[in-house]
Amino acid sequence: MKDNNKKTAHFHLPALFEFYEFYKVFLPLFFNHREYFYDWCDIGSIYGSPADCIWGGGRFGAEEYDAEKVLNLVQKYGISARLTFSNSLLKKEHLSDRKCNRICEIFGKGNEVQNGIIIYSDLLLDYIKEKFPQFYFVSSTTKVLTDFDDFYNEICREDFKFVVPDFRLNRQLEKLKILSEKEKEKVEFLLNECCYIGCKDRKKCYENVSRRILGEECDEFICKAPNGSEGYRFSEAMKNPTFISVKDIEEIYLPQGFTNFKIEGRGLGSAVVLEMILYYMVKPQFQLNVREEIYLDSMLDLF
């Protein structure tokens, strides 16, 4: 039975475009079998951007996608779609990009559920606010706001409905707990970051990605962190001192008034993303049921 005094954890899930086929199977499962899932959680949004989107901030190459089909899927279930436009190096000439503007036109149509933009650039922020006023905005973690005062100033900006702090602020609970209730509602914690806590090159890494998406000539960024060459592993993310576990959410963050949590996962295989969702949202005794439903769908790319 649900504890009516318990706050709801809103999970923000990755790969809106990339895993369309996955969500086409997962979303009906979530809404038709709520007994499989923790009663204290829901889906706050699904975020992402097409790989060929120059306003984007994390994926390369080209892919087949139908933006209207993606939008119709999330609308069907009353879920907010967030476009990840976190490129940090945009210039005025990039604002006229036809593909990016067209995606904004599609996702900015009148909806019962408001869609959002995850954003870095103030230049792009001002442009979208003027041309596509239907969206809300999320301050991207790619700003790497590791100083709490800088993060707090971001929270105070009226432009943003949510702010995703750098993962290294996750455990600054003594400072976080003094935020007002309204300020706490704007904080969206990155749960499962695998990056080395002592990394000093995180911003350079994001800038390298931004340059490559814009088609600039640059060397590929090489991570110098311990085990950086191994890529993302959820098992390693769990060892990160900033990792937020299910128990942490239930016993620390929700009771203190923090309700928004972002699952990292763009660019990973759908099988890995499924394991993250199972861990955070599915009751242990029903995890096999969800795996079977997802794995038995032959349309999924689980590699």
Side-chain angles (χ1 to χ4, degrees):
M1 183 178 294
K2 184 173 180 178
D3 180 356
N4 291 327
N5 294 319
K6 193 170 190 176
K7 291 182 178 292
T8 298
H10 309 295
F11 287 106
H12 304 275
L13 308 181
L16 174 64
F17 294 86
E18 185 180 6
F19 291 160
Y20 168 79
E21 296 293 341
F22 171 83
Y23 286 117
K24 194 166 67 172
V25 178
F26 175 75
L27 292 180
L29 189 62
F30 178 79
F31 286 98
N32 295 332
H33 290 279
R34 283 296 291 158
E35 73 275 12
Y36 292 170
F37 299 84
Y38 293 120
D39 57 10
W40 47 262
C41 77
D42 68 12
I43 300 173
S45 73
I46 305 177
Y47 66 91
S49 64
D52 59 354
C53 179
I54 68 167
W55 293 355
R59 297 178 57 227
F60 306 99
E63 65 186 350
E64 293 293 327
Y65 66 89
D66 185 326
E68 293 190 348
K69 279 176 59 177
V70 172
L71 176 61
N72 289 338
L73 177 65
V74 290
Q75 279 188 322
K76 178 180 178 180
Y77 294 100
I79 296 172
S80 177
R82 291 183 180 176
L83 300 173
T84 304
F85 289 161
S86 55
N87 193 305
S88 63
L89 301 176
L90 296 175
K91 298 177 182 178
K92 190 174 182 179
E93 58 264 31
H94 299 129
L95 300 180
S96 60
D97 182 82
R98 292 179 63 184
K99 288 183 180 178
C100 297
N101 277 273
R102 177 57 182 155
I103 291 171
C104 285
E105 288 174 5
I106 293 171
F107 281 82
K109 293 175 182 176
N111 307 311
E112 292 185 9
V113 178
Q114 187 181 21
N115 295 324
I117 307 280
I118 302 172
I119 202 160
Y120 180 112
S121 167
D122 282 345
L123 177 69
L124 182 60
L125 173 68
D126 292 339
Y127 175 79
I128 295 177
K129 280 172 60 179
E130 181 178 352
K131 189 165 184 180
F132 305 103
Q134 307 93 325
F135 294 100
Y136 67 86
F137 294 93
V138 182
S139 177
S140 175
T141 191
T142 60
K143 294 182 180 181
V144 193
L145 301 177
T146 57
D147 181 86
F148 191 87
D149 290 338
D150 292 338
F151 162 65
Y152 181 72
N153 289 336
E154 197 80 351
I155 286 283
C156 293
R157 290 182 61 178
E158 294 184 0
D159 288 322
F160 299 120
K161 185 174 182 179
F162 301 99
V163 176
V164 185
D166 186 84
F167 70 103
R168 284 162 285 202
L169 296 183
N170 285 0
R171 293 292 180 175
Q172 292 200 16
L173 296 171
E174 289 301 311
K175 293 182 178 179
L176 287 164
K177 72 181 183 181
I178 67 173
L179 298 177
S180 70
E181 183 176 345
K182 185 177 180 181
E183 290 165 348
K184 289 178 179 179
E185 290 174 353
K186 293 182 70 171
V187 181
E188 185 177 312
F189 291 102
L190 185 58
L191 293 171
N192 56 322
E193 178 56 60
C194 192
C195 186
Y196 174 51
I197 193 172
C199 177
K200 296 181 180 179
D201 295 327
R202 190 168 172 84
K203 198 159 190 175
K204 292 180 182 178
C205 177
Y206 285 132
E207 287 179 355
N208 182 269
V209 172
S210 293
R211 292 185 191 283
R212 293 170 65 196
I213 289 175
L214 291 173
E216 296 182 12
E217 290 291 332
C218 62
D219 295 331
E220 184 174 351
F221 181 82
I222 299 175
C223 180
K224 299 177 182 177
N227 303 321
S229 61
E230 296 181 4
Y232 185 91
R233 297 194 180 205
F234 190 35
S235 59
E236 291 300 312
M238 287 180 163
K239 300 174 186 176
N240 194 313
T242 66
F243 179 76
I244 298 177
S245 68
V246 171
K247 185 177 180 180
D248 293 333
I249 292 172
E250 286 195 90
E251 298 183 2
I252 299 174
Y253 292 87
L254 286 180
Q256 289 193 20
F258 297 102
T259 59
N260 287 283
F261 305 95
K262 181 175 183 176
I263 298 178
E264 178 180 288
R266 285 189 308 150
L268 301 177
S270 53
V272 178
V273 171
L274 173 60
E275 291 303 315
M276 296 171 185
I277 291 175
L278 289 171
Y279 172 78
Y280 281 112
M281 301 180 69
V282 182
K283 298 173 184 176
Q285 66 269 34
F286 293 116
Q287 290 182 1
L288 180 58
N289 300 73
V290 175
R291 279 194 188 92
E292 287 177 335
E293 292 284 349
I294 300 293
Y295 280 26
L296 290 174
D297 187 282
S298 60
M299 294 298 292
L300 288 180
D301 173 13
L302 292 169
F303 300 98

Coordinates of all heavy atoms in Angstrom, one line a residue, residues 70-111:
V70 N 8.0 9.8 -32.3 CA 8.5 9.8 -31.0 C 7.7 10.7 -30.1 O 7.3 10.3 -29.0 CB 10.0 10.4 -31.0 CG1 10.5 10.7 -29.6 CG2 10.9 9.4 -31.8
L71 N 7.3 11.9 -30.6 CA 6.4 12.8 -29.8 C 5.1 12.1 -29.5 O 4.6 12.2 -28.4 CB 6.2 14.1 -30.6 CG 5.2 15.1 -29.9 CD1 5.8 15.5 -28.6 CD2 5.0 16.3 -30.8
N72 N 4.5 11.4 -30.5 CA 3.2 10.8 -30.3 C 3.2 9.7 -29.2 O 2.3 9.5 -28.4 CB 2.7 10.2 -31.6 CG 2.2 11.2 -32.6 OD1 1.9 12.4 -32.2 ND2 2.2 10.9 -33.9
L73 N 4.4 9.0 -29.1 CA 4.5 8.0 -28.1 C 4.5 8.5 -26.7 O 3.7 8.1 -25.9 CB 5.8 7.2 -28.4 CG 6.1 6.1 -27.3 CD1 5.1 5.0 -27.4 CD2 7.5 5.5 -27.6
V74 N 5.3 9.6 -26.5 CA 5.3 10.1 -25.1 C 4.0 10.8 -24.8 O 3.6 10.8 -23.6 CB 6.6 11.0 -24.9 CG1 7.8 10.2 -24.9 CG2 6.6 12.1 -25.9
Q75 N 3.4 11.5 -25.8 CA 2.1 12.2 -25.5 C 1.1 11.2 -25.1 O 0.2 11.4 -24.3 CB 1.7 12.9 -26.8 CG 2.4 14.3 -27.0 CD 1.7 15.0 -28.1 OE1 1.4 14.5 -29.1 NE2 1.6 16.3 -27.9
K76 N 1.1 10.0 -25.8 CA 0.1 9.0 -25.5 C 0.1 8.6 -24.0 O -1.0 8.3 -23.4 CB 0.4 7.7 -26.3 CG -0.5 6.6 -26.1 CD -0.1 5.4 -26.9 CE -1.1 4.2 -26.7 NZ -0.7 3.0 -27.6
Y77 N 1.2 8.7 -23.4 CA 1.3 8.3 -21.9 C 1.5 9.5 -21.0 O 1.7 9.4 -19.8 CB 2.5 7.3 -21.7 CG 2.2 6.0 -22.4 CD1 2.8 5.7 -23.7 CD2 1.4 5.1 -21.9 CE1 2.6 4.5 -24.3 CE2 1.1 3.9 -22.5 CZ 1.7 3.6 -23.7 OH 1.5 2.4 -24.4
G78 N 1.3 10.7 -21.6 CA 1.3 11.9 -20.7 C 2.7 12.2 -20.2 O 2.8 12.7 -19.0
I79 N 3.7 11.9 -20.9 CA 5.1 12.1 -20.4 C 5.7 13.3 -21.2 O 5.6 13.5 -22.4 CB 6.0 10.8 -20.7 CG1 5.4 9.7 -19.9 CG2 7.4 11.1 -20.3 CD1 6.0 8.3 -20.2
S80 N 6.5 14.1 -20.4 CA 7.2 15.2 -21.0 C 8.4 14.7 -21.8 O 9.2 13.9 -21.3 CB 7.6 16.2 -19.9 OG 8.4 17.2 -20.4
A81 N 8.6 15.3 -23.0 CA 9.8 15.0 -23.8 C 10.7 16.2 -23.6 O 10.3 17.3 -23.6 CB 9.4 14.8 -25.2
R82 N 12.0 15.8 -23.4 CA 13.0 16.9 -23.3 C 14.0 16.7 -24.4 O 14.6 15.7 -24.6 CB 13.8 16.8 -22.0 CG 12.9 17.1 -20.8 CD 13.8 17.1 -19.5 NE 13.0 17.4 -18.3 CZ 13.5 17.3 -17.1 NH1 14.8 16.9 -16.9 NH2 12.8 17.6 -16.0
L83 N 14.3 17.8 -25.1 CA 15.3 17.9 -26.2 C 16.6 18.3 -25.6 O 16.7 19.3 -24.9 CB 14.9 18.9 -27.3 CG 13.5 18.6 -28.0 CD1 13.2 19.7 -28.9 CD2 13.6 17.2 -28.7
T84 N 17.6 17.4 -25.8 CA 18.9 17.7 -25.2 C 19.7 18.6 -26.2 O 20.3 18.1 -27.1 CB 19.7 16.4 -24.9 OG1 18.9 15.6 -24.1 CG2 21.0 16.7 -24.2
F85 N 19.7 19.9 -25.9 CA 20.4 20.9 -26.7 C 21.5 21.5 -25.9 O 21.5 22.7 -25.6 CB 19.5 21.9 -27.2 CG 18.5 21.5 -28.3 CD1 17.3 22.2 -28.5 CD2 18.7 20.3 -29.0 CE1 16.4 21.8 -29.5 CE2 17.9 19.9 -30.0 CZ 16.7 20.6 -30.2
S86 N 22.5 20.7 -25.5 CA 23.5 21.1 -24.5 C 24.9 21.4 -25.1 O 25.9 21.5 -24.4 CB 23.7 20.1 -23.4 OG 24.0 18.8 -24.0
N87 N 24.9 21.7 -26.4 CA 26.1 22.1 -27.1 C 26.6 23.4 -26.4 O 25.8 24.4 -26.4 CB 26.0 22.2 -28.6 CG 27.3 22.4 -29.3 OD1 28.1 23.2 -29.0 ND2 27.5 21.5 -30.3
S88 N 27.8 23.5 -26.0 CA 28.3 24.6 -25.3 C 29.0 25.7 -26.1 O 29.4 26.7 -25.6 CB 29.3 24.2 -24.2 OG 30.4 23.5 -24.7
L89 N 29.2 25.4 -27.4 CA 30.0 26.2 -28.3 C 29.2 26.9 -29.4 O 29.8 27.2 -30.4 CB 31.2 25.5 -28.8 CG 32.1 24.9 -27.7 CD1 33.2 24.0 -28.3 CD2 32.8 26.0 -26.9
L90 N 28.0 27.0 -29.3 CA 27.1 27.5 -30.4 C 27.4 29.0 -30.6 O 27.6 29.8 -29.7 CB 25.7 27.3 -30.1 CG 25.2 25.8 -30.0 CD1 23.8 25.8 -29.5 CD2 25.4 25.1 -31.3
K91 N 27.3 29.4 -31.9 CA 27.5 30.8 -32.3 C 26.2 31.2 -33.0 O 25.3 30.4 -33.3 CB 28.7 30.9 -33.2 CG 30.0 30.6 -32.5 CD 31.2 30.7 -33.5 CE 32.5 30.3 -32.9 NZ 33.6 30.3 -33.8
K92 N 26.1 32.5 -33.3 CA 24.8 33.0 -33.8 C 24.5 32.3 -35.1 O 23.3 32.1 -35.4 CB 25.0 34.5 -34.1 CG 23.7 35.2 -34.4 CD 23.9 36.7 -34.5 CE 22.5 37.4 -34.8 NZ 22.7 38.9 -34.9
E93 N 25.5 32.0 -36.0 CA 25.2 31.3 -37.2 C 24.6 29.9 -37.1 O 24.0 29.4 -38.1 CB 26.4 31.3 -38.1 CG 27.6 30.5 -37.5 CD 28.6 31.5 -36.8 OE1 28.2 32.5 -36.3 OE2 29.8 31.1 -36.8
H94 N 24.7 29.3 -35.9 CA 24.2 28.0 -35.8 C 22.7 28.0 -35.4 O 22.0 27.0 -35.5 CB 24.9 27.3 -34.6 CG 26.4 27.1 -34.9 ND1 27.4 27.4 -34.0 CD2 27.0 26.6 -36.0 CE1 28.6 27.1 -34.5 NE2 28.4 26.6 -35.7
L95 N 22.2 29.1 -35.1 CA 20.8 29.2 -34.6 C 19.8 29.0 -35.7 O 18.7 28.6 -35.5 CB 20.5 30.6 -34.0 CG 21.4 31.0 -32.8 CD1 21.0 32.3 -32.3 CD2 21.2 29.9 -31.7
S96 N 20.2 29.2 -37.0 CA 19.3 29.0 -38.1 C 19.3 27.6 -38.6 O 18.6 27.3 -39.6 CB 19.7 29.9 -39.2 OG 21.0 29.7 -39.7
D97 N 19.9 26.6 -38.0 CA 20.0 25.2 -38.4 C 18.6 24.7 -38.6 O 17.7 24.7 -37.7 CB 20.7 24.4 -37.4 CG 20.8 22.9 -37.9 OD1 21.7 22.6 -38.7 OD2 20.0 22.1 -37.4
R98 N 18.3 24.2 -39.8 CA 16.9 23.8 -40.2 C 16.4 22.6 -39.4 O 15.3 22.6 -39.0 CB 16.9 23.6 -41.7 CG 17.0 24.8 -42.6 CD 17.0 24.5 -44.1 NE 15.7 24.0 -44.4 CZ 15.4 23.6 -45.7 NH1 16.3 23.6 -46.6 NH2 14.2 23.1 -46.0
K99 N 17.3 21.6 -39.3 CA 16.9 20.4 -38.6 C 16.5 20.7 -37.1 O 15.5 20.2 -36.6 CB 18.0 19.4 -38.6 CG 18.2 18.7 -40.0 CD 19.3 17.7 -40.0 CE 19.5 17.0 -41.3 NZ 20.6 16.0 -41.3
C100 N 17.3 21.5 -36.5 CA 17.1 21.8 -35.0 C 15.8 22.6 -34.9 O 15.0 22.4 -34.0 CB 18.3 22.5 -34.4 SG 19.8 21.5 -34.4
N101 N 15.6 23.6 -35.8 CA 14.4 24.4 -35.7 C 13.2 23.6 -36.0 O 12.1 23.8 -35.4 CB 14.5 25.6 -36.7 CG 15.3 26.7 -36.1 OD1 14.8 27.6 -35.4 ND2 16.6 26.8 -36.4
R102 N 13.3 22.6 -36.9 CA 12.1 21.8 -37.3 C 11.8 20.9 -36.1 O 10.6 20.7 -35.8 CB 12.5 20.9 -38.5 CG 11.4 20.0 -38.9 CD 10.1 20.7 -39.2 NE 9.0 19.7 -39.5 CZ 7.7 20.0 -39.3 NH1 7.3 21.1 -38.8 NH2 6.8 19.1 -39.7
I103 N 12.7 20.4 -35.4 CA 12.5 19.5 -34.2 C 11.7 20.4 -33.1 O 10.8 19.9 -32.5 CB 13.7 18.9 -33.6 CG1 14.3 17.9 -34.6 CG2 13.5 18.3 -32.3 CD1 15.6 17.3 -34.3
C104 N 12.2 21.6 -33.0 CA 11.5 22.5 -32.0 C 10.1 22.8 -32.4 O 9.2 22.8 -31.6 CB 12.3 23.8 -31.9 SG 13.8 23.7 -30.9
E105 N 9.8 22.9 -33.7 CA 8.5 23.2 -34.2 C 7.6 22.0 -33.9 O 6.5 22.1 -33.4 CB 8.5 23.4 -35.7 CG 9.1 24.7 -36.2 CD 9.2 24.8 -37.7 OE1 8.7 23.9 -38.4 OE2 9.7 25.8 -38.2
I106 N 8.1 20.8 -34.1 CA 7.3 19.6 -33.8 C 7.0 19.4 -32.3 O 5.9 19.2 -31.9 CB 8.1 18.3 -34.4 CG1 8.1 18.4 -35.9 CG2 7.4 17.0 -33.9 CD1 9.0 17.3 -36.5
F107 N 8.1 19.5 -31.5 CA 7.9 19.2 -30.1 C 7.3 20.4 -29.3 O 6.9 20.3 -28.2 CB 9.2 18.8 -29.5 CG 9.6 17.4 -29.7 CD1 10.2 17.0 -30.9 CD2 9.3 16.4 -28.8 CE1 10.5 15.7 -31.2 CE2 9.6 15.1 -29.0 CZ 10.2 14.7 -30.2
G108 N 7.2 21.6 -30.0 CA 6.6 22.8 -29.4 C 5.2 22.9 -29.7 O 4.6 23.9 -29.3
K109 N 4.6 22.0 -30.4 CA 3.1 22.0 -30.7 C 2.3 22.0 -29.4 O 2.8 21.5 -28.4 CB 2.7 20.9 -31.6 CG 3.3 20.9 -33.0 CD 2.9 19.6 -33.7 CE 3.5 19.6 -35.1 NZ 3.3 18.4 -35.9
G110 N 1.1 22.6 -29.4 CA 0.3 22.6 -28.2 C 0.0 21.2 -27.7 O -0.5 20.3 -28.4
N111 N 0.5 20.9 -26.5 CA 0.4 19.6 -25.8 C -0.3 19.8 -24.5 O -0.2 20.8 -23.8 CB 1.7 19.0 -25.7 CG 2.5 18.9 -27.0 OD1 2.0 18.5 -28.0 ND2 3.8 19.3 -26.9

